[in-house]
Amino acid sequence: MQLDNKIESVLRLVKKPSRYIGGEYGANNSSTHFCMVYPDVYEIGQSNQAVRILCNRSGGQRAFLPDPDTIDIFKENNIPMFSLETHTPLRDFDAIGITMSHELLATNLIETLDFAQIPIFAKDRTDNDPIVFGGGPVCCNPEPYAAFFDCITIGEGEKATIDALDLVTTDKSREQILEELSHMPSIYVPKFKNKVKRAVYNDFSTSSAYENCIVPFASIAHDRLNVEVLRGCARGCRFCQAGFMYRPVRERNRENIVKSVREGLNITGYDEVSLTSLSTTDHSQITEILDDLDNDRGIRISIPSQRLDAFGIDVAKKVAGKKKGGLTFAPEAGTQRLRDVINKNVTEEDLFNAVRHAKENGWRRCKLYFMIGLPTETDEDLIGIADMCRSVKSMGMNINVSVAVFVPKANTPFMWDGAITPDEALRRINIIRDNMKGISLNWHDPKTSFIEAVLSRGGRECSDLIYKAWKNGTKFDAWNEYFDFEAWIRASQDIDINEIAVKTYEPGTDMPWSHIDMGVDTSYFVSEREKADKEITTEDCTFGKCSNCGICKNLECKSEIAASR
């Protein structure tokens, strides 16, 4: 069923019709076998790396959720959710993939299925409905979404998802397809609750750093060429899920990156490139890469992460050129004791030296990021944040301070630790404010962090919670103007969400995601949690000795990088 005429007739009624017309430069017009979906608006979803990679690898199409007002207009005109490339209803694809990059997309997942006229619960789907794949970082704990997905790719999807799609053929029943998918090593089928092991894309280092890039009609969140230079991080911050789920560390080499940047800029017409990774300045050839690109006139380069040392400032100087904007540093905690607890291997002196070096090189503004609610945190640690910020300001820097609330994440050393309540978070924020007058302080809404914690730690009971919250009218929870905490509270009458989010367990206790093997040994997480209580740090294994996390058992993960240090 093609929707072109109906869509065209209502585009004059919607905001930003460029979100829905498709046909951008670089877009493909493929079959209706597979559609990749990001459950948020075009400007956000089009920037998502998983959408770009999996569309390229599968030849699939794209779909994004319209804003709430436009959803209502489409529904009033009986236009179901559709793909951009061919305006085909999602319900007519053989399979759709919905990537979940954060927990606050949960109700948007339900809104997507409802808008697409696909049964919301997997148990209600028939052979006439598409197979609904899930994936993304939140699927480290897939159980809150188990009722809605037919299957879930655990880990990196470049090969695992494509292999799984080969099974989705029209001559097999839904039951046969799901049964066969449950035997694939990295595909989780909630119906069978099969044990799975995270997929690792072993060809990352040798694959081209340039992925076909669609040039959007509308300005998007990251409106530039994106080239992934490095995957994984072994710094070992104990709160950081990404640092564990993307191990082992893998680099693309200098020639590959430079060639891909030049190719991508030439094809797309962009004049700016972002060299992306969890920690780009840790790339062993980053200086040489920047020197090569510096010889190409007109290229603007951005790097999304900033090291707290002189080398990080030198890299920032190469990137910034004559334009000195603001620098961003993330000490995370206000005292050395707590930084040792979380394994943030930087000192106060590292920060002051970095600020001093930055000022000598022309910077006058910086942002400082901290986290509150971390395990073992005391009021003295909060006062330490204020003290550190005042010291940086006294060095002649204009500073802006942001505070996030710790959310315990699956498959990290702190997964057994509870979150703090919204009221307690506000108490701690006020301690910082009272000790840091005259400095701009921003903080993440503690209520949204609390819901993130519930969905991060919960089991299958959270599927009902998500559905009821959606029935209560919640969607676009990541948008401040739409988030409705009371709607979530009303949805939680049958479960104790406070216990889910706040309860602390003995390290090693089985959690709802214990059957999901992310590659790092549980015994390593237990050891790291014990070291946290003793304020003992663990060094980055790409610079030092192996930390025995378990990821290297069957992979030669760090030999080439360690050898280059």
Side-chain angles (χ1 to χ4, degrees):
M1 170 185 172
Q2 298 298 311
L3 297 171
D4 291 309
N5 292 336
K6 294 184 72 174
I7 292 170
E8 185 176 349
S9 69
V10 299
L11 283 183
R12 61 186 175 82
L13 304 175
V14 308
K15 294 183 292 187
K16 298 185 179 180
S18 57
R19 291 171 168 169
Y20 314 109
I21 58 179
E24 310 101 314
Y25 180 78
N28 64 63
N29 290 289
S30 59
S31 71
T32 57
H33 178 56
F34 179 61
C35 186
M36 206 44 210
V37 181
Y38 191 88
D40 209 320
V41 296
Y42 177 91
E43 289 87 341
I44 297 173
Q46 185 55 47
S47 300
N48 182 262
Q49 181 170 278
V51 171
R52 182 172 68 252
I53 290 174
L54 291 178
C55 281
N56 287 337
R57 303 300 169 92
S58 68
Q61 300 187 38
R62 297 163 297 143
F64 307 106
L65 202 60
D67 65 84
D69 292 342
T70 303
I71 292 174
D72 292 339
I73 293 171
F74 282 137
K75 286 183 176 180
E76 289 167 5
N77 288 272
N78 195 29
I79 298 175
M81 192 168 175
F82 52 86
S83 69
L84 288 189
E85 278 74 10
T86 59
H87 290 168
T88 300
L90 295 192
R91 67 190 181 206
D92 291 345
F93 284 83
D94 296 326
I96 65 170
I98 304 177
T99 184
M100 303 284 290
S101 58
H102 57 83
E103 288 84 2
L104 294 180
L105 288 173
T107 51
N108 278 14
L109 164 62
I110 312 301
E111 183 67 22
T112 295
L113 295 169
D114 179 70
F115 180 24
Q117 298 177 5
I118 295 169
I120 290 172
F121 293 97
K123 64 181 177 59
D124 296 328
R125 294 178 199 138
T126 70
D127 287 347
N128 295 322
D129 297 307
I131 300 292
V132 181
F133 281 77
V138 303
C139 293
C140 279
N141 174 18
E143 294 309 303
Y145 319 98
F148 314 120
F149 287 125
D150 294 306
C151 54
I152 299 170
T153 301
I154 303 298
E156 298 168 5
E158 283 99 329
K159 188 173 186 300
T161 300
I162 304 309
D163 289 346
L165 286 172
D166 288 341
L167 289 176
V168 183
T169 55
T170 55
D171 60 346
K172 293 183 179 179
S173 69
R174 169 178 291 272
E175 189 68 22
Q176 288 175 311
I177 292 171
L178 294 179
E179 200 277 331
E180 290 188 35
L181 286 171
S182 72
H183 295 295
M184 300 188 72
S186 302
I187 303 298
Y188 180 56
V189 181
K191 179 177 181 178
F192 301 117
K193 206 169 185 179
N194 53 306
K195 291 187 176 183
V196 295
K197 187 168 186 175
R198 176 178 70 98
V200 176
Y201 182 47
N202 292 316
D203 296 330
F204 174 84
S205 297
T206 55
S207 63
S208 173
Y210 176 66
E211 293 277 354
N212 179 55
C213 183
I214 293 171
V215 182
F217 289 141
S219 179
I220 62 175
H222 301 291
D223 202 1
R224 62 186 73 92
L225 178 69
N226 290 282
V227 172
E228 189 180 9
V229 301
L230 172 71
R231 187 172 292 183
C233 175
R235 286 183 173 266
C237 297
R238 291 172 178 139
F239 58 83
C240 181
Q241 187 179 65
F244 294 101
M245 73 172 285
Y246 289 113
R247 293 187 180 199
V249 177
R250 290 147 287 165
E251 286 186 355
R252 284 170 167 149
N253 66 36
R254 169 185 177 183
E255 292 76 15
N256 182 357
I257 293 166
V258 173
K259 177 184 176 183
S260 296
V261 169
R262 290 170 176 165
E263 178 185 1
L265 294 175
N266 182 59
I267 291 173
T268 63
Y270 280 120
D271 62 1
E272 181 178 0
V273 59
S274 180
L275 303 179
T276 65
S277 77
L278 292 175
S279 186
T280 299
T281 46
D282 283 346
H283 194 291
S284 63
Q285 297 178 300
I286 188 61
T287 300
E288 294 82 358
I289 291 166
L290 293 175
D291 286 340
D292 289 345
L293 295 177
D294 192 45
N295 293 326
D296 296 352
R297 289 188 176 183
I299 294 180
R300 290 183 296 148
I301 304 169
S302 62
I303 291 178
S305 50
Q306 183 63 58
R307 263 173 51 171
L308 263 171
D309 57 16
F311 177 74
I313 302 303
D314 289 341
V315 169
K317 184 178 179 181
K318 283 180 176 288
V319 170
K322 295 180 180 180
K323 184 180 178 182
K324 299 291 192 298
L327 293 174
T328 299
F329 301 115
E332 307 293 1
T335 63
Q336 192 59 48
R337 183 201 71 79
L338 191 53
R339 284 191 293 275
D340 289 344
V341 168
I342 66 176
N343 205 49
K344 186 77 177 182
N345 282 302
V346 296
T347 66
E348 191 171 89
E349 193 59 32
D350 290 331
L351 173 64
F352 294 156
N353 286 338
V355 170
R356 195 173 295 113
H357 194 57
K359 191 177 178 187
E360 290 169 357
N361 283 278
W363 275 277
R364 293 295 179 268
R365 292 187 293 113
C366 71
K367 295 180 181 179
L368 299 178
Y369 282 95
F370 296 91
M371 195 176 295
I372 63 170
L374 290 161
T376 80
E377 183 180 73
T378 66
D379 288 358
E380 286 72 23
D381 297 310
L382 302 172
I383 294 170
I385 292 175
D387 291 342
M388 178 180 284
C389 293
R390 289 199 310 272
S391 295
V392 172
K393 186 179 181 181
S394 71
M395 297 171 71
M397 275 285 184
N398 295 316
I399 66 171
N400 188 289
V401 183
S402 290
V403 173
V405 182
F406 165 69
V407 175
K409 297 285 187 176
N411 294 287
T412 67
F414 289 159
M415 61 183 157
W416 295 287
D417 289 275
I420 57 176
T421 65
D423 287 344
E424 175 60 19
L426 288 175
R427 187 192 73 82
R428 299 189 191 196
I429 289 167
N430 284 329
I431 289 175
I432 299 171
R433 292 175 67 192
D434 291 344
N435 286 275
M436 200 174 69
K437 298 195 182 294
I439 297 175
S440 175
L441 177 65
N442 303 295
W443 59 89
H444 189 71
D445 180 7
K447 292 179 179 178
T448 61
S449 297
F450 183 79
I451 296 301
E452 287 181 69
V454 172
L455 299 180
S456 176
R457 306 184 88 212
R460 294 198 175 191
E461 72 278 9
C462 285
S463 290
D464 188 53
L465 171 70
I466 295 166
Y467 178 71
K468 287 180 178 177
W470 174 78
K471 290 289 283 186
N472 286 343
T474 65
K475 55 190 173 189
F476 289 87
D477 290 299
W479 298 30
N480 291 336
E481 61 265 43
Y482 292 116
F483 178 72
D484 185 349
F485 186 63
E486 293 307 314
W488 281 95
I489 296 301
R490 292 195 306 274
S492 67
Q493 297 306 307
D494 297 328
I495 63 172
D496 188 344
I497 60 173
N498 197 68
E499 178 169 330
I500 292 173
V502 174
K503 184 175 180 179
T504 292
Y505 297 87
E506 185 71 23
T509 302
D510 278 349
M511 302 298 281
W513 53 86
S514 293
H515 54 296
I516 305 297
D517 182 355
M518 296 301 292
V520 176
D521 291 340
T522 300
S523 60
Y524 177 76
F525 288 137
V526 172
S527 173
E528 283 294 292
R529 185 62 191 83
E530 291 171 348
K531 289 171 73 174
D533 277 336
K534 297 174 183 177
E535 301 167 20
I536 298 172
T537 61
T538 300
E539 65 180 331
D540 183 337
C541 66
T542 57
F543 294 87
K545 65 181 181 180
C546 178
S547 57
N548 296 311
C549 73
I551 197 70
C552 299
K553 287 178 180 176
N554 299 306
L555 295 167
E556 294 180 6
C557 70
K558 70 182 185 72
S559 55
E560 62 184 64
I561 298 175
S564 67
R565 299 296 184 186

